[in-house]
Amino acid sequence: STVASLAIEAFTALAHAEMHTHGAESIDQVHFHEVGAVDSIVDTVGTLLALHYLSVGLGSGDGQDCSITCSRLPMGEGTVWTDHGLLPVPAPATMRLMVGMPTCPGPPGVTGELVTPTAAALLRVLTGVNNQAKKGQHGDYWQPKVIAGRPPCMVPIAVGLGAGTKDFEKHPNVLRLIFCSTQTQTNTEVDANKGTSATAANDDEEQSNHIENVSTEPGDKSEEVKVSKVTIDTDTETCQLWNSNTLTHLEANIDDATPELMAHAIDLLLENGAIDAWVVPIVMKKGRPAHTLNCLCHDEKTKESDLVAMMFRHTTTLGIRIHRNIARASLHRRFLKVKLPYQDNSRDGEVDVKVSSFKNDEVVSLKAEFDQCKVIAKESNVPL
């Protein structure tokens, strides 16, 4: 089918990009990473199926005569984390897929990936650039003769808008699909077999689509296809660059406990499920120096009760303040293993590095595990 042919063509284009990027001899040696995941396959096939059901002309299945165009693709800036580590954007394979495609700068001050490899491959095939590239001069797969990038003369029929899962500070992350006719008409009906087309604006990740008031009438008047409303529901919760959750804050003022007892209480709290525990020096009544023992835990009654009981049992406090529904923003965190040149130690030179990043993969900070570094420094006799 046309849908299957175009899906294969899109992933073949992606395979050629990976092949050239890795210097492989053929696409048979290519291994897909992120773009081989189920969501990328669903995105590609689902998009093609949606266009097919909307009677958009997809051509013969080789991308040569599809009646689809797109706006310029934003280049973006910054870096993105991949299976190969930290890479500049667009990532190498994505950049190869954008060869011959019209581009433009991304919004000012925005970092991170603005065009995914899946989107670049799909748009390359649907706009016909990929087919032109394969038939370019000297047989060069990456040298198209003609590019698409401007909207055609058209009569808009319906507009679909979809919001991505990323939330940028100064511009909306929105994909716009314009369902149109390339013929001049005075009504909103269009012959599905004569000039129906679609045009799409800037692409980001995972979109929720909404198309209204579309009416198509094929050449056979006895069979009428009407699409009154197509809606795909997604999570409407506001998406942010960071994680958001609610916690419970426990605190107690203590003026008659030794430093050793306070340190022991912090260790117990952390070992028994507290997210964080700390001590703040204060001055209480009669000018007495004292401390506030603080504890953060998940917003769960059972966990809260256990930690409250532990603070009563292992400190001298007579009362604990409980603050619920404390909002917290936190970065996404993951660990990478890094091999150091110092391998004459019990860790064989390997340390865990904590990578803190926004949800758009923009890295905010990197930090090696101190205790592991200390072991390597001591056993290998090198400066910490």
Side-chain angles (χ1 to χ4, degrees), residues 331-350:
L331 294 173
H332 175 69
R333 284 164 280 186
R334 61 192 180 96
F335 284 91
L336 294 177
K337 291 190 178 297
V338 176
K339 197 82 167 181
L340 300 178
Y342 314 108
Q343 300 181 10
D344 53 340
N345 50 74
S346 59
R347 297 198 56 83
D348 196 27
E350 189 174 85

Side-chain angles (χ1 to χ4, degrees), residues 27-356:
I27 60 175
D28 295 330
Q29 299 176 351
V30 170
H31 174 70
F32 289 148
H33 296 286
E34 294 90 347
V35 293
V38 173
D39 58 343
S40 295
I41 298 173
V42 171
D43 286 345
T44 301
V45 178
T47 299
L48 295 171
L49 274 174
L51 294 173
H52 172 72
Y53 286 137
L54 288 172
S55 300
V56 174
L58 294 178
S60 59
D62 59 2
Q64 185 173 6
D65 49 355
C66 287
S67 53
I68 296 174
T69 186
C70 69
S71 65
R72 294 178 177 271
L73 305 181
M75 290 290 289
E77 58 184 88
T79 56
V80 61
W81 276 101
T82 70
D83 281 357
H84 296 296
L86 190 64
L87 297 176
V89 297
T94 307
M95 190 69 256
R96 286 188 174 273
L97 288 166
M98 293 169 68
V99 170
M101 298 287 288
T103 64
C104 64
V110 173
T111 60
E113 190 176 50
L114 297 180
V115 178
T116 65
T118 303
L122 190 57
L123 291 173
R124 187 178 185 85
V125 170
L126 288 175
T127 57
V129 171
N130 193 59
N131 187 274
Q132 296 156 11
K134 289 187 293 183
K135 297 180 180 180
Q137 297 176 353
H138 311 300
D140 192 336
Y141 189 84
W142 300 107
Q143 293 297 324
K145 293 181 294 183
V146 183
I147 63 173
R150 299 185 63 187
C153 295
M154 61 182 181
V155 177
I157 299 173
V159 178
L161 294 175
T165 57
K166 290 183 180 180
D167 188 19
F168 295 100
E169 183 177 355
K170 296 183 179 179
H171 78 278
N173 174 20
V174 172
L175 172 75
R176 180 170 62 178
L177 178 71
I178 304 174
F179 189 71
C180 61
S181 170
T182 53
Q183 298 178 353
T184 303
Q185 298 182 1
T186 57
N187 54 39
T188 59
E189 291 195 352
V190 58
D191 189 332
N193 297 318
K194 297 181 181 179
T196 305
S197 64
T199 179
N202 294 342
D203 172 284
D204 282 298
E205 297 178 352
E206 299 177 13
Q207 309 292 337
S208 61
N209 304 306
H210 183 79
I211 302 175
E212 293 186 6
N213 302 327
V214 179
S215 177
T216 65
E217 187 175 7
D220 182 3
K221 298 297 183 179
S222 62
E223 181 180 359
E224 183 175 354
V225 180
K226 290 184 180 293
V227 182
S228 59
K229 185 174 181 179
V230 178
T231 302
I232 300 176
D233 293 327
T234 60
D235 187 5
T236 57
E237 181 180 354
T238 302
C239 298
Q240 293 179 320
L241 289 175
W242 48 84
N243 302 315
S244 298
N245 56 358
T246 58
L247 304 176
T248 297
H249 179 200
L250 311 176
E251 62 177 359
N253 292 346
I254 303 173
D255 64 356
D256 56 350
T258 64
E260 294 88 350
L261 185 60
M262 298 296 288
H264 178 62
I266 290 176
D267 290 341
L268 286 176
L269 292 171
L270 293 174
E271 291 171 2
N272 287 273
I275 297 175
D276 199 2
W278 68 99
V279 168
V280 177
I282 59 173
V283 176
M284 294 182 63
K285 58 185 179 182
K286 300 181 180 179
R288 295 175 181 173
H291 296 87
T292 299
L293 176 62
N294 296 270
C295 172
L296 275 182
C297 64
H298 289 292
D299 197 8
E300 302 171 3
K301 283 291 185 180
T302 303
K303 182 61 63 179
E304 174 190 308
S305 298
D306 291 344
L307 294 175
V308 167
M310 188 166 296
M311 290 176 68
F312 276 129
R313 288 193 179 102
H314 295 279
T315 71
T316 57
T317 187
L318 301 178
I320 299 172
R321 294 181 294 279
I322 303 175
H323 308 284
R324 298 188 178 92
N325 297 321
I326 302 298
R328 183 184 72 156
S330 61
L331 294 173
H332 175 69
R333 284 164 280 186
R334 61 192 180 96
F335 284 91
L336 294 177
K337 291 190 178 297
V338 176
K339 197 82 167 181
L340 300 178
Y342 314 108
Q343 300 181 10
D344 53 340
N345 50 74
S346 59
R347 297 198 56 83
D348 196 27
E350 189 174 85
V351 297
D352 294 324
V353 176
K354 183 187 294 183
V355 182
S356 302

